[in-house]
Amino acid sequence: EGATGAEASYDRANPGVAKLQETYKSRTGKDLPYLTYMTTTYDGVYLLKEALEAVGEDTEKIRDYLYGVKDRKGLSGSLTIDPNGDPLAGHVLRAVKGGTVEDYTLSSE
């Protein structure tokens, strides 16, 4: 109770998130675990697919393609990759309250 942390955010309004959840449940019979991480993993796989389709299998060309990613819209939101190869993407603070994990909000107390 009260533990806080940051996790990658995802675009809750993106209809693809609901489709991912539905597809997973229809194939496994279970709810999709760790939605935050699943959306970023999903985006990562499709980003690599896009790079391979655009430039082939040359690793230097893939690197250059990824370094050129700007404002790519995915399930996890908007992604830009900086000149060092680091993702510039959003995070959200989360906290355990009443036994469940919720978005963290600062209190005025």
Side-chain angles (χ1 to χ4, degrees):
E1 186 67 25
T4 59
E7 67 182 18
S9 61
Y10 64 93
D11 182 0
R12 288 177 169 92
N14 186 321
V17 173
K19 182 163 178 39
L20 177 62
Q21 290 175 299
E22 291 166 11
T23 300
Y24 184 88
K25 187 156 191 162
S26 73
R27 292 183 181 177
T28 67
K30 300 177 183 178
D31 289 333
L32 182 66
Y34 311 110
L35 187 55
T36 295
Y37 303 105
M38 293 300 177
T39 58
T40 56
T41 300
Y42 181 94
D43 286 348
V45 168
Y46 278 91
L47 180 57
L48 180 57
K49 175 185 179 281
E50 292 165 11
L52 289 166
E53 289 174 347
V55 300
E57 296 180 16
D58 182 305
T59 56
E60 290 183 9
K61 289 180 181 178
I62 292 170
R63 177 204 60 210
D64 294 343
Y65 179 90
L66 294 175
Y67 280 19
V69 170
K70 302 278 187 257
D71 299 321
R72 181 188 180 276
K73 303 295 182 218
L75 298 187
S76 57
S78 180
L79 172 67
T80 295
I81 298 178
D82 76 10
N84 298 315
D86 295 320
L88 304 176
H91 285 78
V92 62
L93 290 177
R94 308 277 284 162
V96 178
K97 296 179 183 176
T100 62
V101 178
E102 302 176 0
D103 288 349
Y104 181 81
T105 54
L106 294 173
S107 68
S108 58
E109 300 173 2

XYZ file of all heavy atoms in Angstrom:
830
model
N 0.852 -1.181 0.000
C 0.000 0.000 0.000
C 0.889 1.233 0.000
O 1.812 1.345 0.795
C -0.905 -0.020 1.233
C -1.928 1.082 1.281
C -2.987 0.952 0.201
O -3.252 -0.174 -0.293
O -3.544 1.985 -0.189
N 0.588 2.168 -0.908
C 1.338 3.412 -0.980
C 2.567 3.364 -1.867
O 3.190 4.395 -2.103
N 2.953 2.186 -2.361
C 4.116 2.102 -3.245
C 3.844 2.881 -4.522
O 2.727 2.861 -5.054
C 4.427 0.645 -3.574
N 4.843 3.608 -5.003
C 4.699 4.377 -6.230
C 5.798 4.001 -7.215
O 6.855 3.509 -6.831
C 4.766 5.898 -5.968
O 6.016 6.207 -5.364
C 3.641 6.353 -5.079
N 5.545 4.247 -8.466
C 6.537 3.977 -9.495
C 6.097 4.588 -10.810
O 4.981 5.092 -10.936
N 6.994 4.567 -11.766
C 6.688 5.086 -13.097
C 6.648 3.921 -14.069
O 7.423 2.975 -13.965
C 7.741 6.093 -13.524
N 5.719 3.984 -14.994
C 5.671 2.974 -16.040
C 5.364 3.663 -17.357
O 4.829 4.768 -17.380
C 4.661 1.877 -15.734
C 3.220 2.295 -15.744
C 2.278 1.135 -15.387
O 2.715 0.125 -14.817
O 1.090 1.249 -15.689
N 5.732 3.000 -18.419
C 5.451 3.548 -19.737
C 3.946 3.728 -19.894
O 3.165 2.894 -19.445
C 5.982 2.618 -20.818
N 3.560 4.812 -20.493
C 2.131 5.056 -20.677
C 1.682 4.448 -22.001
O 2.485 4.097 -22.849
C 1.851 6.558 -20.661
O 2.541 7.208 -21.711
N 0.397 4.308 -22.146
C -0.160 3.887 -23.423
C -1.391 4.730 -23.706
O -1.967 5.351 -22.818
C -0.484 2.385 -23.441
C -1.548 1.941 -22.477
C -2.874 1.859 -22.871
C -1.228 1.590 -21.167
C -3.855 1.441 -21.981
C -2.198 1.171 -20.283
C -3.506 1.102 -20.693
O -4.469 0.697 -19.820
N -1.759 4.766 -24.962
C -2.872 5.597 -25.403
C -4.180 4.847 -25.170
O -4.601 4.047 -25.996
C -2.685 5.947 -26.873
C -3.768 6.855 -27.424
O -4.688 7.225 -26.664
O -3.692 7.197 -28.613
N -4.807 5.098 -24.032
C -6.041 4.386 -23.678
C -7.172 4.633 -24.678
O -8.090 3.830 -24.799
C -6.483 4.803 -22.277
C -5.598 4.257 -21.177
C -6.035 4.775 -19.802
N -5.378 4.075 -18.721
C -4.248 4.476 -18.155
N -3.651 5.571 -18.578
N -3.701 3.783 -17.172
N -7.125 5.754 -25.390
C -8.179 6.087 -26.350
C -7.957 5.427 -27.712
O -8.854 5.434 -28.553
C -8.261 7.606 -26.525
N -6.795 4.856 -27.943
C -6.501 4.228 -29.229
C -7.344 2.963 -29.367
O -7.243 2.058 -28.540
C -5.009 3.892 -29.307
C -4.600 3.364 -30.658
O -5.304 2.603 -31.291
N -3.423 3.769 -31.098
N -8.172 2.866 -30.411
C -9.015 1.687 -30.578
C -8.200 0.408 -30.749
O -8.685 -0.694 -30.480
C -9.843 1.976 -31.829
C -9.379 3.266 -32.374
C -8.392 3.878 -31.441
N -6.946 0.523 -31.153
C -6.090 -0.642 -31.298
C -5.808 -1.329 -29.971
O -5.554 -2.535 -29.932
N -5.845 -0.567 -28.868
C -5.614 -1.155 -27.545
C -6.743 -2.135 -27.223
O -6.487 -3.269 -26.806
C -5.486 -0.066 -26.454
C -5.429 -0.684 -25.070
C -4.258 0.806 -26.703
N -7.970 -1.719 -27.439
C -9.111 -2.606 -27.189
C -9.050 -3.823 -28.115
O -9.337 -4.951 -27.690
C -10.424 -1.858 -27.377
N -8.660 -3.613 -29.365
C -8.558 -4.735 -30.311
C -7.485 -5.720 -29.863
O -7.691 -6.928 -29.933
C -8.254 -4.224 -31.715
C -8.175 -5.329 -32.741
C -8.277 -4.796 -34.138
C -8.151 -5.829 -35.213
N -8.762 -7.095 -35.012
N -6.350 -5.208 -29.387
C -5.296 -6.087 -28.873
C -5.807 -6.916 -27.703
O -5.597 -8.137 -27.639
C -4.077 -5.264 -28.455
C -2.913 -6.031 -27.827
C -2.324 -7.037 -28.808
C -1.844 -5.048 -27.347
N -6.533 -6.267 -26.787
C -7.090 -6.979 -25.631
C -8.080 -8.057 -26.081
O -8.049 -9.190 -25.583
C -7.784 -5.998 -24.685
C -6.820 -5.098 -23.955
C -7.544 -4.059 -23.125
O -8.296 -3.241 -23.641
N -7.323 -4.103 -21.821
N -8.959 -7.702 -27.005
C -9.971 -8.652 -27.486
C -9.329 -9.840 -28.203
O -9.728 -10.986 -27.995
C -10.940 -7.943 -28.431
C -11.828 -6.928 -27.753
C -12.537 -6.001 -28.741
O -12.503 -6.278 -29.967
O -13.100 -4.994 -28.282
N -8.346 -9.562 -29.044
C -7.678 -10.625 -29.789
C -6.964 -11.582 -28.841
O -7.066 -12.804 -28.983
C -6.675 -10.029 -30.799
O -7.382 -9.184 -31.703
C -5.957 -11.120 -31.577
N -6.281 -11.029 -27.859
C -5.571 -11.863 -26.886
C -6.560 -12.763 -26.136
O -6.337 -13.960 -26.003
C -4.792 -10.984 -25.908
C -3.958 -11.777 -24.934
C -2.663 -12.145 -25.264
C -4.466 -12.168 -23.704
C -1.886 -12.892 -24.386
C -3.703 -12.907 -22.817
C -2.411 -13.273 -23.160
O -1.662 -14.009 -22.280
N -7.653 -12.150 -25.678
C -8.637 -12.925 -24.907
C -9.294 -14.007 -25.768
O -9.513 -15.124 -25.298
C -9.692 -12.012 -24.304
C -10.621 -12.768 -23.358
C -11.255 -11.883 -22.352
C -11.940 -12.720 -21.291
N -12.223 -11.992 -20.102
N -9.578 -13.686 -27.024
C -10.215 -14.684 -27.888
C -9.281 -15.852 -28.175
O -9.730 -16.981 -28.357
C -10.697 -14.050 -29.192
O -9.618 -13.745 -30.039
N -7.976 -15.602 -28.195
C -7.018 -16.672 -28.490
C -6.600 -17.459 -27.256
O -6.236 -18.618 -27.369
C -5.783 -16.090 -29.166
C -6.075 -15.575 -30.554
C -4.845 -15.065 -31.227
N -5.182 -14.548 -32.552
C -4.314 -13.983 -33.361
N -3.058 -13.848 -32.992
N -4.702 -13.544 -34.525
N -6.630 -16.819 -26.090
C -6.119 -17.492 -24.888
C -7.192 -17.768 -23.846
O -6.966 -18.567 -22.946
C -5.030 -16.635 -24.212
O -5.628 -15.440 -23.689
C -3.903 -16.304 -25.169
N -8.313 -17.056 -23.932
C -9.347 -17.176 -22.919
C -9.036 -16.398 -21.653
O -9.751 -16.506 -20.664
N -7.964 -15.625 -21.679
C -7.540 -14.859 -20.508
C -7.433 -13.379 -20.851
O -7.253 -13.013 -22.004
C -6.170 -15.340 -20.019
C -6.153 -16.794 -19.617
C -4.761 -17.215 -19.220
C -4.744 -18.705 -18.876
N -3.403 -19.153 -18.544
N -7.526 -12.541 -19.806
C -7.297 -11.115 -20.001
C -5.826 -10.868 -20.292
O -4.947 -11.582 -19.785
C -7.704 -10.323 -18.752
C -9.207 -10.282 -18.557
O -9.949 -10.384 -19.559
O -9.640 -10.153 -17.399
N -5.554 -9.860 -21.080
C -4.184 -9.487 -21.426
C -3.471 -8.947 -20.191
O -3.912 -7.969 -19.600
C -4.205 -8.427 -22.531
C -2.864 -7.940 -23.051
C -2.129 -9.077 -23.764
C -3.077 -6.790 -24.011
N -2.387 -9.596 -19.770
C -1.671 -9.107 -18.587
C -0.745 -7.944 -18.953
O -0.330 -7.817 -20.106
C -0.851 -10.326 -18.159
C -0.577 -11.052 -19.433
C -1.801 -10.825 -20.293
N -0.436 -7.132 -17.978
C 0.585 -6.086 -18.141
C 0.357 -5.233 -19.386
O 1.233 -5.088 -20.228
C 1.983 -6.706 -18.170
C 2.234 -7.664 -17.049
C 2.347 -9.031 -17.289
C 2.319 -7.210 -15.740
C 2.564 -9.921 -16.241
C 2.535 -8.091 -14.691
C 2.665 -9.440 -14.942
O 2.874 -10.313 -13.923
N -0.820 -4.664 -19.495
C -1.203 -3.935 -20.707
C -0.179 -2.882 -21.103
O 0.140 -2.732 -22.285
C -2.587 -3.300 -20.526
C -3.185 -2.664 -21.765
C -3.252 -3.653 -22.924
C -4.559 -2.109 -21.469
N 0.360 -2.164 -20.137
C 1.350 -1.141 -20.458
C 2.519 -1.734 -21.232
O 2.948 -1.193 -22.246
C 1.881 -0.487 -19.173
O 0.805 0.202 -18.550
C 2.983 0.495 -19.459
N 3.033 -2.849 -20.754
C 4.196 -3.449 -21.395
C 3.835 -4.146 -22.693
O 4.653 -4.214 -23.616
C 4.890 -4.398 -20.413
C 5.277 -3.657 -19.164
C 4.571 -3.814 -17.986
C 6.305 -2.714 -19.190
C 4.894 -3.098 -16.847
C 6.636 -1.981 -18.057
C 5.925 -2.177 -16.890
O 6.239 -1.458 -15.780
N 2.631 -4.650 -22.779
C 2.202 -5.301 -24.009
C 2.054 -4.289 -25.146
O 2.378 -4.596 -26.282
C 0.898 -6.065 -23.807
C 1.029 -7.243 -22.886
S 2.236 -8.425 -23.530
C 2.215 -9.606 -22.212
N 1.570 -3.087 -24.832
C 1.422 -2.090 -25.895
C 2.788 -1.634 -26.404
O 2.975 -1.468 -27.603
C 0.595 -0.876 -25.431
O 1.204 -0.285 -24.292
C -0.839 -1.262 -25.129
N 3.756 -1.456 -25.509
C 5.087 -1.040 -25.965
C 5.786 -2.177 -26.714
O 6.492 -1.929 -27.696
C 5.961 -0.536 -24.798
O 6.043 -1.542 -23.791
C 5.408 0.735 -24.203
N 5.568 -3.412 -26.281
C 6.140 -4.550 -26.989
C 5.525 -4.673 -28.375
O 6.227 -4.863 -29.375
C 5.916 -5.853 -26.195
O 6.558 -5.715 -24.918
C 6.464 -7.061 -26.923
N 4.203 -4.532 -28.441
C 3.495 -4.573 -29.723
C 4.059 -3.509 -30.663
O 4.385 -3.784 -31.816
C 2.002 -4.345 -29.468
C 1.121 -4.381 -30.687
C 0.480 -5.548 -31.064
C 0.896 -3.228 -31.442
C -0.364 -5.589 -32.168
C 0.064 -3.255 -32.551
C -0.559 -4.435 -32.914
O -1.369 -4.466 -34.015
N 4.187 -2.287 -30.153
C 4.725 -1.199 -30.983
C 6.149 -1.493 -31.430
O 6.524 -1.218 -32.574
C 4.681 0.131 -30.228
C 3.281 0.703 -30.114
O 2.353 0.206 -30.797
O 3.113 1.656 -29.331
N 6.964 -2.059 -30.529
C 8.350 -2.367 -30.873
C 8.457 -3.395 -31.989
O 9.274 -3.249 -32.911
N 7.629 -4.415 -31.924
C 7.639 -5.452 -32.964
C 7.241 -4.839 -34.309
O 7.888 -5.082 -35.335
C 6.701 -6.621 -32.587
C 6.458 -7.554 -33.769
C 7.276 -7.384 -31.402
N 6.195 -4.026 -34.310
C 5.751 -3.439 -35.567
C 6.701 -2.354 -36.068
O 6.854 -2.164 -37.280
C 4.301 -2.946 -35.473
C 3.375 -4.118 -35.674
C 2.929 -4.862 -34.592
C 3.009 -4.528 -36.948
C 2.132 -5.971 -34.768
C 2.206 -5.641 -37.141
C 1.769 -6.358 -36.049
O 0.989 -7.477 -36.240
N 7.387 -1.672 -35.173
C 8.399 -0.702 -35.590
C 9.548 -1.431 -36.291
O 10.037 -0.979 -37.338
C 8.909 0.098 -34.390
C 9.970 1.148 -34.679
C 9.493 2.164 -35.712
C 10.358 1.857 -33.390
N 9.975 -2.549 -35.746
C 11.026 -3.342 -36.393
C 10.550 -3.862 -37.745
O 11.295 -3.837 -38.727
C 11.463 -4.491 -35.493
C 12.555 -5.394 -36.068
C 13.803 -4.597 -36.429
C 12.885 -6.498 -35.082
N 9.307 -4.315 -37.809
C 8.735 -4.785 -39.080
C 8.781 -3.667 -40.122
O 9.191 -3.880 -41.266
C 7.296 -5.246 -38.866
C 6.553 -5.650 -40.124
C 5.094 -5.974 -39.803
C 4.292 -6.357 -41.009
N 3.858 -5.237 -41.827
N 8.382 -2.458 -39.720
C 8.404 -1.311 -40.640
C 9.826 -1.020 -41.111
O 10.050 -0.739 -42.294
C 7.827 -0.082 -39.954
C 6.351 -0.179 -39.666
C 5.864 0.873 -38.675
O 6.619 1.820 -38.350
O 4.724 0.740 -38.194
N 10.788 -1.091 -40.191
C 12.182 -0.836 -40.554
C 12.679 -1.875 -41.553
O 13.323 -1.531 -42.549
C 13.053 -0.827 -39.301
N 12.392 -3.147 -41.295
C 12.822 -4.209 -42.203
C 12.205 -4.049 -43.590
O 12.875 -4.249 -44.604
C 12.483 -5.577 -41.620
C 13.319 -6.011 -40.422
C 12.687 -7.211 -39.722
C 14.752 -6.312 -40.834
N 10.937 -3.678 -43.628
C 10.273 -3.468 -44.916
C 10.854 -2.266 -45.650
O 10.960 -2.265 -46.870
C 8.770 -3.282 -44.713
C 8.060 -4.554 -44.305
C 6.593 -4.358 -43.970
O 6.138 -3.208 -43.806
O 5.902 -5.381 -43.839
N 11.241 -1.244 -44.903
C 11.738 -0.014 -45.522
C 13.183 -0.125 -45.997
O 13.527 0.395 -47.067
C 11.607 1.155 -44.546
N 14.044 -0.786 -45.207
C 15.478 -0.751 -45.527
C 16.137 -2.128 -45.628
O 17.342 -2.215 -45.876
C 16.258 0.112 -44.510
C 15.740 1.544 -44.521
C 16.203 -0.471 -43.110
N 15.405 -3.193 -45.390
C 15.999 -4.516 -45.470
C 16.684 -4.916 -44.170
O 16.409 -4.349 -43.114
N 17.590 -5.871 -44.262
C 18.187 -6.467 -43.075
C 19.541 -5.879 -42.679
O 20.173 -6.381 -41.749
C 18.302 -7.975 -43.272
C 16.942 -8.643 -43.404
C 17.030 -10.140 -43.607
O 18.097 -10.737 -43.366
O 16.007 -10.722 -44.016
N 20.013 -4.869 -43.370
C 21.292 -4.236 -43.026
C 21.142 -3.511 -41.689
O 20.346 -2.583 -41.556
C 21.674 -3.244 -44.131
C 22.998 -2.563 -43.891
O 23.183 -1.953 -42.816
O 23.849 -2.619 -44.796
N 21.908 -3.947 -40.697
C 21.731 -3.415 -39.341
C 22.032 -1.918 -39.233
O 21.400 -1.221 -38.448
C 22.588 -4.190 -38.323
O 23.957 -4.157 -38.722
C 22.112 -5.628 -38.221
N 22.984 -1.420 -40.005
C 23.270 0.025 -39.962
C 22.109 0.827 -40.546
O 21.753 1.891 -40.034
C 24.576 0.334 -40.674
C 25.784 -0.180 -39.905
C 27.102 0.169 -40.559
O 27.124 0.960 -41.523
O 28.128 -0.358 -40.086
N 21.493 0.304 -41.602
C 20.334 0.981 -42.186
C 19.140 0.932 -41.233
O 18.382 1.899 -41.140
C 19.976 0.361 -43.538
C 20.978 0.689 -44.618
C 20.580 0.068 -45.935
C 21.607 0.390 -47.006
N 21.264 -0.233 -48.297
N 18.983 -0.200 -40.533
C 17.906 -0.302 -39.546
C 18.137 0.721 -38.441
O 17.221 1.437 -38.040
C 17.805 -1.725 -38.967
C 17.325 -2.694 -40.043
C 16.881 -1.759 -37.750
C 17.421 -4.157 -39.646
N 19.373 0.801 -37.945
C 19.707 1.791 -36.913
C 19.355 3.196 -37.388
O 18.684 3.955 -36.691
C 21.200 1.721 -36.558
C 21.613 2.776 -35.544
C 23.088 3.101 -35.603
N 23.440 3.598 -36.917
C 24.631 3.448 -37.479
N 25.591 2.804 -36.864
N 24.863 3.934 -38.687
N 19.786 3.548 -38.597
C 19.516 4.882 -39.126
C 18.022 5.130 -39.284
O 17.537 6.227 -39.018
C 20.237 5.084 -40.460
C 21.759 5.090 -40.301
O 22.255 5.270 -39.155
O 22.443 4.889 -41.325
N 17.291 4.101 -39.708
C 15.842 4.220 -39.821
C 15.229 4.518 -38.452
O 14.411 5.422 -38.315
C 15.252 2.930 -40.401
C 13.747 2.953 -40.523
C 13.138 3.415 -41.671
C 12.932 2.521 -39.466
C 11.746 3.453 -41.781
C 11.552 2.553 -39.571
C 10.963 3.016 -40.727
O 9.599 3.064 -40.821
N 15.636 3.747 -37.450
C 15.083 3.936 -36.104
C 15.442 5.309 -35.539
O 14.617 5.957 -34.894
C 15.563 2.824 -35.169
C 15.062 1.421 -35.518
C 15.702 0.393 -34.599
C 13.542 1.345 -35.463
N 16.669 5.757 -35.790
C 17.081 7.081 -35.299
C 16.268 8.197 -35.956
O 16.198 9.299 -35.441
C 18.559 7.312 -35.549
C 19.485 6.650 -34.556
C 19.076 5.589 -33.745
C 20.793 7.073 -34.429
C 19.934 4.984 -32.848
C 21.664 6.473 -33.524
C 21.221 5.438 -32.751
O 22.084 4.848 -31.862
N 15.644 7.889 -37.082
C 14.833 8.882 -37.786
C 13.365 8.872 -37.392
O 12.570 9.650 -37.937
N 12.980 8.022 -36.459
C 11.572 7.940 -36.055
C 11.173 9.224 -35.328
O 11.810 9.624 -34.361
C 11.324 6.705 -35.152
C 9.941 6.751 -34.534
C 11.515 5.429 -35.948
N 10.130 9.858 -35.819
C 9.619 11.103 -35.228
C 8.102 11.028 -35.127
O 7.421 10.780 -36.118
C 9.978 12.316 -36.095
C 11.454 12.500 -36.328
C 12.121 13.200 -35.179
C 13.557 13.519 -35.493
N 14.523 12.656 -34.883
N 7.590 11.208 -33.929
C 6.142 11.271 -33.694
C 5.380 10.089 -34.291
O 4.288 10.255 -34.834
C 5.567 12.592 -34.225
C 6.177 13.792 -33.541
O 6.415 13.726 -32.321
O 6.444 14.796 -34.233
N 5.937 8.902 -34.187
C 5.250 7.699 -34.668
C 4.111 7.374 -33.716
O 4.306 7.259 -32.520
C 6.209 6.511 -34.731
C 5.537 5.243 -35.240
C 6.468 4.047 -35.089
N 5.834 2.845 -35.582
C 5.001 2.082 -34.861
N 4.716 2.407 -33.618
N 4.471 0.997 -35.381
N 2.922 7.241 -34.254
C 1.751 6.931 -33.439
C 1.581 5.420 -33.337
O 1.592 4.718 -34.332
C 0.485 7.543 -34.042
C 0.548 9.044 -34.242
C 0.642 9.783 -32.935
C 0.652 11.280 -33.185
N 1.523 12.011 -32.323
N 1.446 4.948 -32.109
C 1.251 3.529 -31.875
C 0.313 3.331 -30.705
O -0.274 4.288 -30.187
N 0.187 2.102 -30.260
C -0.698 1.817 -29.135
C -0.209 2.485 -27.857
O -1.000 2.836 -26.988
C -0.808 0.308 -28.894
C -1.404 -0.526 -30.015
C -1.589 -1.961 -29.555
C -2.712 0.048 -30.517
N 1.097 2.648 -27.746
C 1.649 3.261 -26.533
C 1.717 4.776 -26.622
O 2.208 5.418 -25.705
C 3.032 2.676 -26.223
O 3.900 2.853 -27.319
N 1.218 5.342 -27.701
C 1.223 6.801 -27.855
C 2.187 7.218 -28.948
O 2.450 6.482 -29.879
N 2.751 8.397 -28.785
C 3.656 8.963 -29.773
C 5.104 8.645 -29.397
O 5.492 8.762 -28.238
C 3.446 10.476 -29.835
O 4.315 11.052 -30.778
N 5.900 8.263 -30.389
C 7.295 7.901 -30.151
C 8.209 8.677 -31.083
O 7.979 8.731 -32.289
C 7.510 6.398 -30.380
C 8.955 5.918 -30.363
C 9.570 6.060 -28.968
C 9.061 4.489 -30.857
N 9.244 9.256 -30.502
C 10.361 9.843 -31.235
C 11.618 9.209 -30.677
O 11.719 8.984 -29.472
C 10.400 11.369 -31.042
O 9.225 11.939 -31.635
C 11.623 11.991 -31.691
N 12.562 8.909 -31.548
C 13.846 8.368 -31.098
C 14.901 9.437 -31.320
O 15.039 9.961 -32.430
C 14.184 7.056 -31.827
C 13.116 6.007 -31.505
C 15.575 6.565 -31.441
C 13.291 4.673 -32.185
N 15.623 9.783 -30.251
C 16.594 10.880 -30.329
C 17.893 10.428 -31.005
O 18.065 9.241 -31.307
C 16.832 11.492 -28.948
C 17.702 10.666 -28.028
O 18.325 9.678 -28.465
O 17.778 11.029 -26.837
N 18.807 11.351 -31.273
C 20.055 11.013 -31.968
C 20.941 9.993 -31.244
O 21.833 9.410 -31.839
C 20.778 12.362 -32.077
C 19.704 13.387 -32.008
C 18.670 12.799 -31.085
N 20.703 9.764 -29.960
C 21.446 8.740 -29.222
C 20.766 7.378 -29.272
O 21.252 6.416 -28.692
C 21.586 9.151 -27.748
C 22.366 10.424 -27.595
O 23.411 10.608 -28.209
N 21.858 11.320 -26.780
N 19.588 7.310 -29.907
C 18.848 6.060 -29.976
C 17.909 5.845 -28.805
O 17.346 4.770 -28.647
N 17.734 6.880 -27.988
C 16.848 6.765 -26.827
C 15.426 7.161 -27.205
O 15.223 8.149 -27.909
C 17.341 7.669 -25.691
C 18.688 7.233 -25.147
O 18.910 6.020 -25.018
O 19.525 8.110 -24.867
N 14.440 6.414 -26.716
C 13.056 6.766 -27.023
C 12.598 7.957 -26.193
O 12.898 8.048 -25.005
C 12.285 5.508 -26.636
C 13.114 4.883 -25.560
C 14.539 5.206 -25.901
N 11.910 8.859 -26.827
C 11.264 9.970 -26.127
C 9.779 9.652 -26.125
O 9.078 9.880 -27.094
C 11.548 11.301 -26.832
C 13.021 11.640 -27.028
C 13.171 12.934 -27.833
C 13.734 11.748 -25.696
N 9.351 9.056 -25.045
C 7.961 8.623 -24.929
C 7.489 8.906 -23.519
O 8.299 9.137 -22.620
C 7.848 7.132 -25.258
N 6.199 8.876 -23.338
C 5.634 9.243 -22.049
C 5.682 8.156 -21.000
O 5.744 6.967 -21.307
N 5.687 8.593 -19.772
C 5.571 7.714 -18.612
C 4.487 8.287 -17.711
O 4.183 9.472 -17.771
C 6.893 7.626 -17.844
C 7.900 6.779 -18.529
N 8.626 7.217 -19.604
C 8.291 5.505 -18.310
C 9.426 6.259 -20.012
N 9.244 5.207 -19.236
N 3.938 7.437 -16.893
C 2.904 7.863 -15.969
C 3.277 7.351 -14.571
O 3.828 6.263 -14.441
C 1.505 7.354 -16.408
C 1.435 5.852 -16.423
C 0.406 7.933 -15.565
N 3.020 8.178 -13.565
C 3.240 7.742 -12.193
C 2.045 6.913 -11.748
O 0.897 7.276 -11.997
C 3.408 8.943 -11.269
C 4.690 9.738 -11.437
C 4.682 10.951 -10.512
C 5.906 8.876 -11.166
N 2.331 5.795 -11.064
C 1.285 4.901 -10.576
C 1.534 4.649 -9.100
O 2.667 4.705 -8.634
C 1.318 3.579 -11.339
C 1.287 3.712 -12.866
C -0.060 3.876 -13.432
N -0.708 2.566 -13.413
C -1.988 2.383 -13.522
N -2.794 3.398 -13.663
N -2.510 1.191 -13.488
N 0.460 4.375 -8.357
C 0.571 4.107 -6.924
C -0.433 3.029 -6.528
O -1.487 2.886 -7.137
C 0.297 5.376 -6.124
N -0.074 2.277 -5.498
C -0.987 1.280 -4.947
C -1.854 1.990 -3.910
O -1.354 2.555 -2.944
C -0.221 0.106 -4.296
C -1.201 -0.885 -3.679
C 0.687 -0.569 -5.316
N -3.160 1.971 -4.170
C -4.140 2.590 -3.262
C -5.279 1.609 -3.056
O -5.893 1.171 -4.020
C -4.692 3.889 -3.856
C -3.672 4.978 -4.033
C -4.313 6.215 -4.656
C -3.284 7.285 -4.899
N -3.855 8.447 -5.575
N -5.540 1.281 -1.802
C -6.622 0.349 -1.507
C -6.419 -1.004 -2.145
O -7.386 -1.665 -2.517
N -5.167 -1.388 -2.340
C -4.867 -2.696 -2.895
C -4.878 -2.773 -4.412
O -4.673 -3.839 -4.972
N -5.140 -1.664 -5.104
C -5.113 -1.662 -6.559
C -4.131 -0.598 -7.051
O -3.831 0.371 -6.349
C -6.510 -1.371 -7.163
O -6.933 -0.072 -6.742
C -7.524 -2.409 -6.740
N -3.644 -0.786 -8.261
C -2.712 0.171 -8.850
C -3.516 1.217 -9.618
O -4.345 0.876 -10.461
C -1.710 -0.541 -9.784
C -0.766 0.467 -10.423
C -0.933 -1.603 -9.031
N -3.283 2.478 -9.294
C -4.012 3.587 -9.909
C -3.029 4.652 -10.348
O -1.886 4.699 -9.885
C -4.973 4.203 -8.892
C -5.995 3.250 -8.306
C -6.844 3.905 -7.235
O -6.646 5.090 -6.948
O -7.692 3.205 -6.668
N -3.486 5.555 -11.226
C -2.668 6.716 -11.573
C -2.394 7.501 -10.305
O -3.288 7.689 -9.475
C -3.372 7.612 -12.592
C -3.420 6.982 -13.987
O -2.739 5.961 -14.206
O -4.123 7.522 -14.846
N -1.167 7.930 -10.156
C -0.765 8.678 -8.968
C -1.173 10.134 -9.122
O -0.954 10.749 -10.163
C 0.749 8.585 -8.781
C 1.254 9.314 -7.556
C 1.171 8.737 -6.313
C 1.800 10.595 -7.665
C 1.638 9.396 -5.178
C 2.263 11.261 -6.547
C 2.185 10.652 -5.314
O 2.632 11.312 -4.199
N -1.797 10.680 -8.113
C -2.139 12.098 -8.114
C -1.588 12.723 -6.834
O -1.612 12.104 -5.757
C -3.659 12.329 -8.170
O -4.275 11.609 -7.108
C -4.226 11.841 -9.489
N -1.077 13.926 -6.967
C -0.569 14.639 -5.812
C -1.721 15.158 -4.989
O -2.684 15.713 -5.529
C 0.317 15.812 -6.253
C 1.601 15.442 -6.959
C 2.291 16.696 -7.499
C 2.526 14.696 -6.024
N -1.654 14.987 -3.698
C -2.703 15.522 -2.858
C -2.310 16.923 -2.422
O -1.147 17.307 -2.438
C -2.926 14.638 -1.624
O -1.801 14.714 -0.768
N -3.281 17.704 -2.036
C -3.025 19.075 -1.601
C -2.714 19.132 -0.117
O -2.576 20.201 0.466
C -4.210 19.977 -1.937
O -5.375 19.473 -1.308
N -2.645 17.986 0.537
C -2.379 17.937 1.989
C -0.924 18.168 2.293
O -0.034 17.824 1.656
C -2.808 16.586 2.556
C -4.273 16.338 2.348
C -4.673 14.917 2.748
O -3.842 14.128 3.227
O -5.839 14.599 2.556
